[in-house]
Amino acid sequence: MAKRYPDISDHGLIGDLQTAALVSTDGTIDWFCSPRFDAPSVFGSLIDAQKGGFFRIRPVGMEYVTRQLYLPDTAILITRFLTDAGVGEVIDFMPVAEGPATDRHSIVRMVRVVRGEMTFEGEIQPRFDYGRAPHRLVPSGPGAKFVSDDLVLTLHRVGDPILHGDERAGKVEVVDGGVKVTITLRAGELTGVMLESGDVDARQISEDELIGTFLETRRYWRRWNDRSTYTGRWREMVARSAITLKLMTYAPTGALVAAPTTGLPEQIGGERNWDYRYTWIRDASFSVYALLSLGYQDEAEAFVGWLLQRIHEGVGSDTAPLRIMYRVDGSSDLDEETLDHLSGYRKSRPVRVGNGASDQLQLDIFGEAMDSIHLADTHGLELPHAGWMKVRQMLDWLCDHWDTPEEGIWETRGGPQKFTYGRFMSWVALDRGIRIAQSHGRPASMTRWVHERDRIYERIMESFDPTRQAFVQHDGSDVLDASLLLMPLMGFITPRDPLWMSTLEAIDEALVSDSLVYRYDPAAAPDGLRGSEGTFTLCSFWYVDALARSGRLDEARLVFEKMLTYANHLGLYAEEIGLTGEQLGNFPQAFSHLALINAAVNLDYQLDHGSGDVEPVLRRGRRID
């Protein structure tokens, strides 16, 4: 019997590079938005089992256990059902839509029996616009259409399997505006459906066409995976993380969403339920490091181009030159709305769409953006003149505003502060701008940039807390913050500096639970929200790198290996991990996977060459041939 709300970790991700769907281990698609990541959901039973809608295929009339795996080196998901009577599989994928933005997207669901005989039940119950919009079921040729005011889903049927004319052909029922189909298959028989978003005529798809689409999709993903240059110790996990990041990239613009879901809670039953289907400057900028470290230069170049467009649009406005997040097309209309009609995942309310944090000032994004631009520059992706002039204006703005109170990396809603991380990343922004200008002889406010960079450095050093013997979250606080684990990676401080070593020891004691790292202590630093949260997977992988650079290589490797045990059965991570190892928050989380890649690449190098060294390919400040 299916769980009403499966665990967050009980899912795999499929997608076509413009949108994505989650498939649970019982064969249910319980999350899918169309035509792109941030569109309203069509299937949303993950956030309301009664009103959200679903598309389920599973055995009936028998007990079964399930296993899920990806076809190796692809984003094709296989859900296996094991019974006394036989073994069956549901194979889910979305044909890749790499080109311009389109409203036409397809989910292919192949069903086959590999041993014995099994009866499958398929039921499709779409609920448009997060369950708010009514729809009509319209028969269409060999299939059907689900018609709402703003979107049409067309169900195409795959040609009948070889059933020898017997009673196994099953039946079709109309249930609650949806369709339920029952069919019995024997070993070697194959059937399936294709669900297409778009008002087209339903048709009967031949088995040859179905298999051809499958082979084409497999070919795409294996070719993409083969482009990776990573040859280190953790190839399988790194490859899966890379494919997952690719699945969360909107191909028409190169923008990376933080996660393909909304409303999945950081605490079950709590209110920390956010919409992550947007592109954060911070998250996506870190992806440049991960992509280049694996050899995916085209993807890194696409994002940097997207980023420069945002800078070009923002410079000269009445607000900060960059917003902290955007939609995948670069627009910034992210007004937050509460979906009061939805019960939320396991009664975790409210369910939000949009994101009210989009209007916050978070100074760290300028450092992350400039670090990615500088890194791209060292790999031959140099800024054109117009791009550099906009970057120059942005850094001039930062010189005037780096000491402004802000909301910080964690988007707390407890009021602005002068966060150490925001200052530290402002230092990074100016430092990287200075390096680019010096490297290429570009015009710059060099005297001013150097002066302000040095002022920031001195201000941070002056704020070192002598009681905690650590750098702390913000002025007037003694709270530790895991974001500061990036200080040595970004070159702000050497990893063997006594000030850093004592900070790392303080973080060990206050924020680390075995291998798991909390981002900060909400009890010590109220963030304006009720409830608690789990440990942040991102911070745990940052911790790996900080340990390795500080000479604690054995610990770093053990922590990394332990972190791998917290992945789900497919190698996927949500945003957080709870006390008993459960995945929490939106799923899968881009930040978690890009941090895994970066930790693996850096740890590999340091295990091979000694701790504290810097990777030759990604050395900051100059290009290494």
Side-chain angles (χ1 to χ4, degrees):
M1 187 68 181
K3 297 180 182 178
R4 186 167 182 268
Y5 288 102
D7 292 343
I8 291 171
S9 61
D10 285 348
H11 290 89
L13 182 72
I14 60 172
D16 67 357
L17 310 186
Q18 295 191 23
T19 187
L22 290 183
V23 186
S24 72
T25 53
D26 78 336
T28 301
I29 296 176
D30 53 18
W31 184 256
F32 173 61
C33 299
S34 187
R36 65 186 199 189
F37 294 107
D38 56 356
S41 65
V42 174
F43 302 127
S45 59
L46 189 59
I47 52 176
D48 191 310
Q50 298 298 322
K51 300 176 183 177
F54 62 88
F55 185 2
R56 177 182 298 127
I57 300 177
R58 62 181 179 182
V60 292
M62 62 194 81
E63 295 292 326
Y64 60 84
V65 296
T66 68
R67 298 288 186 268
Q68 250 182 359
L69 71 155
Y70 280 109
L71 189 69
D73 303 329
T74 78
I76 297 172
L77 184 66
I78 304 172
T79 305
R80 290 170 56 82
F81 297 94
L82 289 74
T83 75
D84 291 339
V87 176
E89 295 179 343
V90 177
I91 302 171
D92 289 308
F93 62 93
M94 296 180 68
V96 175
E98 262 204 305
T102 177
D103 291 339
R104 300 278 293 276
H105 303 276
S106 300
I107 296 175
V108 178
R109 312 204 73 184
M110 299 169 57
V111 184
R112 68 174 186 169
V113 170
V114 297
R115 180 174 61 80
E117 179 176 297
M118 298 177 66
T119 299
F120 282 90
E121 176 186 270
E123 184 173 2
I124 177 170
Q125 293 287 350
R127 298 293 183 265
F128 295 87
D129 189 21
Y130 308 108
R132 296 181 295 193
H135 73 271
R136 296 177 290 114
L137 175 62
V138 179
S140 175
K145 293 184 182 182
F146 304 91
V147 182
S148 73
D149 289 343
D150 297 322
L151 184 66
V152 177
L153 292 181
T154 302
L155 186 66
H156 307 289
R157 186 184 64 164
V158 174
D160 290 335
I162 303 171
L163 295 176
H164 310 293
D166 62 25
E167 71 282 357
R168 294 181 295 119
K171 60 180 180 178
V172 178
E173 302 174 79
V174 175
V175 180
D176 296 331
V179 174
K180 182 185 290 188
V181 178
T182 306
I183 193 167
T184 301
L185 302 176
R186 288 176 180 162
E189 293 179 344
L190 172 72
T191 188
V193 294
M194 177 185 291
L195 183 67
E196 183 176 3
S197 58
D199 190 1
V200 297
D201 291 334
R203 60 192 180 89
Q204 186 164 314
I205 299 171
S206 70
E207 189 172 307
D208 286 344
E209 181 183 348
L210 180 72
I211 294 173
T213 304
F214 167 83
L215 293 175
E216 183 179 350
T217 304
R218 185 184 71 177
R219 188 180 305 115
Y220 171 85
W221 284 108
R222 287 188 171 169
R223 285 177 176 172
W224 188 85
N225 185 71
D226 287 346
R227 287 172 48 203
S228 174
T229 57
Y230 179 76
T231 58
R233 294 166 175 81
W234 298 285
R235 295 182 192 180
E236 186 174 345
M237 289 298 293
V238 167
R240 181 50 52 197
S241 289
I243 289 172
T244 303
L245 290 176
K246 182 68 171 175
L247 281 170
M248 289 189 278
T249 301
Y250 185 66
T253 63
L256 176 77
V257 296
T261 58
T262 184
L264 296 183
E266 297 174 14
Q267 179 188 28
I268 302 300
E271 67 169 335
R272 298 167 186 259
N273 320 313
W274 313 110
D275 190 349
Y276 276 11
R277 299 170 299 155
Y278 310 114
T279 300
W280 269 250
I281 294 295
R282 175 186 307 114
D283 304 38
S285 294
F286 279 121
S287 74
V288 174
Y289 187 100
L291 292 166
L292 288 176
S293 71
L294 302 183
Y296 291 113
Q297 184 148 328
D298 291 345
E299 285 78 3
E301 183 176 7
F303 170 71
V304 172
W306 181 91
L307 172 61
L308 290 175
Q309 286 183 308
R310 306 290 79 75
I311 295 173
H312 186 88
E313 294 162 357
V315 166
S317 66
D318 294 333
T319 58
L322 276 177
R323 299 171 68 95
I324 68 169
M325 72 181 88
Y326 299 84
R327 292 187 181 273
V328 290
D329 63 359
S331 61
S332 55
D333 53 326
L334 280 82
D335 292 341
E336 190 168 290
E337 176 186 2
T338 298
L339 302 180
D340 293 326
H341 67 290
L342 297 180
S343 63
Y345 176 83
R346 297 183 182 175
K347 299 183 179 180
S348 301
R349 302 183 71 190
V351 176
R352 300 179 176 93
V353 294
N355 199 306
S358 62
D359 293 327
Q360 290 185 354
L361 174 65
Q362 298 175 17
L363 292 172
D364 65 278
I365 64 172
F366 298 98
E368 287 127 4
M370 282 305 302
D371 191 59
S372 67
I373 291 170
H374 172 254
L375 185 59
D377 179 78
T378 65
H379 283 69
L381 307 177
E382 298 178 11
L383 285 174
H385 169 73
W388 171 251
M389 297 309 291
K390 293 298 182 180
V391 164
R392 177 183 174 182
Q393 289 178 262
M394 180 180 75
L395 293 177
D396 287 341
W397 178 92
L398 186 60
C399 285
D400 291 329
H401 294 88
W402 65 262
D403 203 30
T404 303
E406 40 118 5
E407 273 79 13
I409 178 175
W410 306 126
E411 296 170 9
T412 58
R413 302 193 178 188
Q417 300 286 347
K418 294 186 177 183
F419 285 99
T420 303
Y421 183 73
R423 286 176 170 173
F424 147 53
M425 292 305 292
S426 296
W427 177 93
V428 170
L430 292 169
D431 179 74
R432 303 312 190 252
I434 291 165
R435 294 188 188 200
I436 294 173
Q438 290 175 332
S439 175
H440 299 292
R442 297 288 178 86
S445 311
M446 191 66 72
T447 301
R448 187 183 185 204
W449 291 1
V450 170
H451 175 71
E452 294 301 324
R453 180 196 64 181
D454 294 348
R455 282 187 64 208
I456 297 170
Y457 180 91
E458 290 165 356
R459 184 70 59 84
I460 293 173
M461 290 302 179
E462 289 168 0
S463 65
F464 183 85
D465 190 304
T467 303
R468 296 300 302 264
Q469 282 295 293
F471 296 103
V472 292
Q473 189 177 65
H474 59 76
D475 285 356
S477 167
D478 64 355
V479 173
L480 299 174
D481 193 313
S483 64
L484 302 182
L485 288 166
L486 286 180
M487 281 182 158
L489 173 63
M490 292 292 182
F492 179 83
I493 193 169
T494 63
R496 304 298 182 92
D497 190 299
L499 295 177
W500 173 249
M501 298 292 278
S502 63
T503 297
L504 185 56
E505 290 176 7
I507 289 175
D508 286 340
E509 295 175 5
L511 299 181
V512 179
S513 174
D514 194 23
S515 63
L516 303 175
V517 180
Y518 292 92
R519 55 182 181 170
Y520 59 91
D521 181 0
D527 55 13
L529 298 166
R530 296 189 301 273
S532 61
E533 60 187 18
T535 58
F536 261 60
T537 299
L538 163 73
C539 298
S540 300
F541 286 121
W542 283 351
Y543 181 58
V544 170
D545 188 79
L547 288 173
R549 291 175 187 272
S550 299
R552 296 162 61 179
L553 269 175
D554 288 343
E555 289 179 73
R557 183 166 188 176
L558 180 59
V559 169
F560 186 80
E561 295 284 1
K562 285 183 177 180
M563 283 304 301
L564 299 185
T565 70
Y566 287 105
N568 83 339
H569 57 289
L570 298 168
L572 306 184
Y573 292 87
E575 182 178 32
E576 301 182 18
I577 296 171
L579 289 175
T580 59
E582 71 274 19
Q583 303 271 1
L584 295 171
N586 285 302
F587 179 89
Q589 180 82 2
F591 232 159
S592 299
H593 287 278
L594 65 89
L596 183 154
I597 293 170
N598 292 341
V601 170
N602 294 346
L603 184 56
D604 266 321
Y605 184 83
Q606 292 174 44
L607 286 168
D608 291 339
H609 297 86
S611 64
D613 290 342
V614 184
E615 305 82 345
V617 176
L618 296 175
R619 184 167 298 175
R620 300 177 183 275
R622 63 187 182 93
R623 187 166 182 178
I624 304 297
D625 294 327

